[in-house]
Amino acid sequence: MRRRSIIGTSLAVVAAMGLSACGGGGDGGSGSKTLRVTLVNHVWTENIKKALPEFEKQTGLKVEVTQLGEDQLSDQYNVKLNAGSSDLDVMMYRPLQEGKLFAKNKYLADLTERTKSDGAFDFSDFQAGPVQATTYDDKVVGVPIITESEVLYYRKDLLEKSGFTTPPKTLDELKEQAAKVEADNPGVAGFVSRTGKAAAVTQFSSFLYSFGGDFVDGSGKASVNTEQAKQAYAYYGGLLREHGPKNISTDMSWSEAMAIFTQGKAAFYTEANSLYKNATDPAKSKVSDTVGFAAFPAGPAGSKPYNIPSWALGINDGSKNKDNAWKFIQWAAGKEQSLEQQKAGVPGARASVWANPEGIATYPKDLAEATTASTANGVGHDRPLVVKVAQAREIVGQPIVDAITGKDAAASADAANTAFQKFLDDEAK
């Protein structure tokens, strides 16, 4: 059933574009006029498909698109890349999920010279954080196309009621304002965010960086038990324990936390900017007309939220059609298409698009300002950069849960660091 689903999806997309499922490109050899592009189900993909005739007309190439859900995409990559298949040319992939695995196994072509020599493409226009995530061993292996950064969602009406004229600029102010608003509004939590052991890691990461910590240090050693990391765990857990929803659950992902905020049950909420429409759409949110956005509050090390590429484009190193694959990336991640995508609500990685009034016209003004601020000092990862990401998140997420439930967060961080170092050592073998 699974295989039939994958094939059916691919054929359906190819057929919808008026192309032959078999194509005319043979094995996709050097200079082949048929380019095979594998994309995930996403608004970005739908927008690109609509513009493809323009690309095909410009280049004389025929593009065969395989469009899959995330799980199906991973399944196909696992099968084809492990087999050294050459019938994948352009690959849409998740840099923070599969990026290190793909790069380590040399599945992704080295794009460094192409990005350096292509002045018109202007790779320097891409934000530093996302580029960090698409670089491996100092080699560019992908081009970021869709980004996310963490911002502060808040209730403007509740802040005004409690006498605050501006949202918190520091984590100390966040705690103070959360406590005051909570006291002034019985039944409303001061703060909400993700609490699940693995789910919370990504949103906790901005707190970790803003306290001056990270998951690993400069030498690649586990560092979730440094003084800075312990302070971050204690702060995040303490804020939720003391000012979070009553009888707080420790298995909330973004959907549960967002529901609490949009039902009017919390004053502050830290989350990815990409989810903002859940809070501003009147059909989804009871507080849509009172929601504000602000830059992530500064900690002892400043405001250092994650600024990551959720998706990127790479070229299969086994492809025999790399030159034409690069032409597709030049176009799809170029300034013109990036601007069109962002105007359609898909946040991109190009600084010039965020600086362009057209590029931010469809976003709430304060969200655009918060996002722009986030990119200045943004960190290019929101989880440990490892091959086995899910396992790592379980390890480094345990102290979050322990801090929320009032256990010894420092001791938990020490235990997590030992386990995480063993994990890193095992992965390096």
Side-chain angles (χ1 to χ4, degrees):
M1 291 295 290
R2 182 76 162 239
R3 183 170 298 171
R4 189 179 302 122
S5 174
I6 293 174
I7 294 173
T9 305
S10 176
L11 293 180
V13 173
V14 172
M17 295 177 59
L19 303 175
S20 164
C22 296
D27 63 356
S30 179
S32 168
K33 290 297 185 180
T34 298
L35 187 65
R36 292 159 178 173
V37 178
T38 304
L39 307 175
V40 76
N41 290 337
H42 195 283
V43 175
W44 184 93
T45 297
E46 298 304 323
N47 294 336
I48 279 294
K49 281 162 53 185
K50 291 175 186 175
L52 267 178
E54 168 196 332
F55 172 74
E56 293 180 321
K57 183 178 180 181
Q58 287 176 0
T59 61
L61 297 172
K62 180 180 285 188
V63 180
E64 286 187 0
V65 173
T66 299
Q67 182 178 341
L68 306 169
E70 289 186 23
D71 290 343
Q72 293 172 325
L73 190 77
S74 295
D75 288 346
Q76 181 164 112
Y77 285 160
N78 286 337
V79 172
K80 293 200 170 188
L81 295 174
N82 285 333
S85 176
S86 64
D87 66 354
L88 295 172
D89 296 320
V90 179
M91 300 162 47
M92 188 172 178
Y93 75 100
R94 296 173 293 184
L96 299 179
Q97 202 66 23
E98 302 109 352
K100 186 169 184 179
L101 173 66
F102 288 179
K104 186 177 181 180
N105 289 347
K106 303 189 186 309
Y107 295 154
L108 296 171
D110 182 357
L111 305 179
T112 309
E113 289 306 314
R114 294 183 188 272
T115 57
K116 281 183 179 178
S117 62
D118 191 341
F121 187 61
D122 191 9
F123 196 61
S124 64
D125 185 36
F126 286 83
Q127 299 161 352
V131 169
Q132 289 171 10
T134 56
T135 302
Y136 179 77
D137 282 351
D138 297 324
K139 295 177 182 177
V140 177
V141 294
V143 175
I145 52 172
I146 304 167
T147 62
E148 292 183 358
S149 57
E150 188 165 5
V151 298
L152 181 68
Y153 294 54
Y154 70 95
R155 289 276 301 283
K156 290 185 278 189
D157 57 330
L158 296 183
L159 265 63
E160 183 178 351
K161 179 181 175 182
S162 291
F164 297 114
T165 56
T166 59
K169 291 182 171 59
T170 68
L171 291 176
D172 285 342
E173 289 179 2
L174 173 59
K175 185 179 288 187
E176 292 168 7
Q177 292 194 17
K180 179 71 164 62
V181 173
E182 185 177 63
D184 293 344
N185 299 274
V188 175
F191 176 77
V192 70
S193 191
R194 305 183 194 186
T195 63
K197 183 163 56 175
V201 168
T202 55
Q203 308 316 302
F204 165 73
S205 68
S206 297
F207 292 83
L208 177 63
Y209 309 146
S210 298
F211 268 93
D214 205 331
F215 298 106
V216 300
D217 61 21
S219 64
K221 297 292 186 182
S223 61
V224 294
N225 73 335
T226 62
E227 187 57 34
Q228 294 88 343
K230 288 179 177 179
Q231 289 174 1
Y233 279 123
Y235 177 93
Y236 187 83
L239 191 60
L240 283 163
R241 185 178 66 254
E242 296 166 12
H243 302 297
K246 300 301 180 188
N247 303 313
I248 188 169
S249 162
T250 54
D251 62 359
M252 288 197 301
S253 186
W254 77 266
S255 55
E256 292 85 5
M258 177 70 79
I260 290 172
F261 182 76
T262 57
Q263 290 300 305
K265 300 299 183 182
F268 294 103
Y269 173 40
T270 49
E271 187 54 84
N273 60 346
S274 58
L275 298 175
Y276 80 93
K277 287 186 178 178
N278 290 277
T280 59
D281 183 350
K284 299 178 181 178
S285 172
K286 290 183 177 179
V287 297
S288 59
D289 58 343
T290 66
V291 174
F293 302 93
F296 190 86
S303 174
K304 292 189 174 180
Y306 65 72
N307 181 36
I308 61 164
S310 48
W311 291 95
L313 295 177
I315 297 176
N316 173 23
D317 198 45
S319 167
K320 295 184 172 69
N321 205 7
K322 291 189 180 71
D323 287 345
N324 286 331
W326 177 246
K327 287 180 183 177
F328 178 86
I329 292 178
Q330 284 177 305
W331 171 76
K335 291 183 179 180
E336 183 179 341
Q337 282 303 317
S338 294
L339 178 59
E340 291 305 311
Q341 289 281 1
Q342 193 146 309
K343 284 163 64 176
V346 181
R350 283 189 175 271
S352 62
V353 175
W354 282 102
N356 187 331
E358 282 189 76
I360 58 176
T362 60
Y363 294 81
K365 185 174 183 292
D366 55 355
L367 177 64
E369 292 172 349
T371 300
T372 301
S374 297
T375 64
N377 297 307
V379 178
H381 57 281
D382 63 353
R383 66 203 75 181
L385 291 172
V386 295
V387 172
K388 298 178 180 177
V389 178
Q391 186 178 339
R393 287 174 70 160
E394 289 286 322
I395 295 171
V396 302
Q398 186 59 52
I400 297 173
V401 174
D402 289 342
I404 293 171
T405 56
K407 295 180 181 177
D408 188 336
S412 181
D414 285 332
N417 199 73
T418 299
F420 189 39
Q421 185 58 55
K422 183 179 184 306
F423 167 91
L424 293 174
D425 291 342
D426 290 343
E427 194 166 276
K429 292 177 180 176

